[in-house]
């Protein structure tokens, strides 16, 4: 009985068997950096208040991460019994409407421009940006604040000065 090494089955099987015996050239690699850690469930939100040094992040335990709207609404409710203060006038209405665009978060706040100082605007912007990033959004996203009365300040696309 003569074996025929030129048959199509042998021509296909020999290279496959050689590859299996020799390996595919893939070698184990070490640990590699994959970039930023994933976001996920958190026991609270980071809000920005003011102390003698300027803006200061303050963690508020809420037992959930919350949305941008949740974070800014909580910010508008004030600093509570803490050692920080706010540059935002008290308001009985704290609900905030949030619209997210590809590169901008638009906030409709229950405030007039006279109700906030420039540092108060930074509090809102930093709180919104941090919440957005913690929820998986881009850290390049800008924030636009729409006040009750139209003002040119409502057209400004802002970033948090702490992360510029």
């Amino acid at each position: 009985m003569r074996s025929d090494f030129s048959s199509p089955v042998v021509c296909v099987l020999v290279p496959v068997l050689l590859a299996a015996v020799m390996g595919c050239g893939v070698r184990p690699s070490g640990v590699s950096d994959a970039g930023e850690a994933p976001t996920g469930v958190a026991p609270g939100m980071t809000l920005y208040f003011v102390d003698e040094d300027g803006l200061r992040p303050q963690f508020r335990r809420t037992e959930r991460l919350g949305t941008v709207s949740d974070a800014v609404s909580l910010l508008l409710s004030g600093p509570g019994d803490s050692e920080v203060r706010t540059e935002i006038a008290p308001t009985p209405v704290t609900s905030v409407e949030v619209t997210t665009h590809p590169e901008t978060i638009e906030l409709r706040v229950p405030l007039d421009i006279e109700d906030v100082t420039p540092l108060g605007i930074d509090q809102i912007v930093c709180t919104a940006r941090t919440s957005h990033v913690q929820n998986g959004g881009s850290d390049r996203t800008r924030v636009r604040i729409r006040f009750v009365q139209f003002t040119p300040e409502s057209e400004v696309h802002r970033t948090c000065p702490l992360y510029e």
Side-chain angles (χ1 to χ4, degrees):
M1 180 168 171
R2 181 176 153 234
S3 66
D4 185 3
F5 288 105
S6 64
S7 77
V9 174
V10 173
C11 289
V12 170
L13 284 179
V14 170
V16 170
L17 290 173
L18 283 174
V21 171
M22 297 174 60
C24 297
V26 176
R27 305 252 189 272
S29 65
V31 177
S32 62
D33 182 22
E36 296 291 318
T39 59
V41 178
M45 295 178 253
T46 301
L47 311 178
Y48 286 81
F49 288 101
V50 180
D51 66 10
E52 62 278 350
D53 296 323
L55 283 179
R56 175 176 158 195
Q58 188 176 67
F59 182 76
R60 292 293 173 92
R61 184 168 286 284
T62 60
E63 301 307 324
R64 63 189 184 94
L65 183 57
T67 64
V68 171
S69 180
D70 294 335
V72 176
S73 293
L74 189 56
L75 174 72
L76 295 181
S77 70
D81 295 333
S82 61
E83 68 282 358
V84 293
R85 68 180 193 282
T86 186
E87 294 285 317
I88 304 167
T91 179
V93 178
T94 61
S95 62
V96 176
E97 182 183 319
V98 177
T99 306
T100 304
H101 303 281
E103 296 179 6
T104 307
I105 301 168
E106 183 177 292
L107 306 174
R108 292 190 180 276
V109 296
L111 304 166
D112 285 320
I113 189 65
E114 295 85 26
D115 294 331
V116 293
T117 67
L119 199 52
I121 289 173
D122 289 342
Q123 284 181 252
I124 295 169
V125 169
C126 292
T127 297
R129 178 206 178 271
T130 298
S131 177
H132 177 71
V133 170
Q134 287 175 334
N135 278 290
S138 170
D139 63 354
R140 293 189 176 118
T141 302
R142 298 197 176 260
V143 178
R144 184 170 56 208
I145 303 172
R146 299 288 178 138
F147 295 96
V148 172
Q149 299 288 329
F150 177 79
T151 172
E153 292 293 317
S154 292
E155 297 305 312
V156 178
H157 290 81
R158 304 172 188 278
T159 61
C160 179
L162 298 177
Y163 302 103
E164 290 180 332

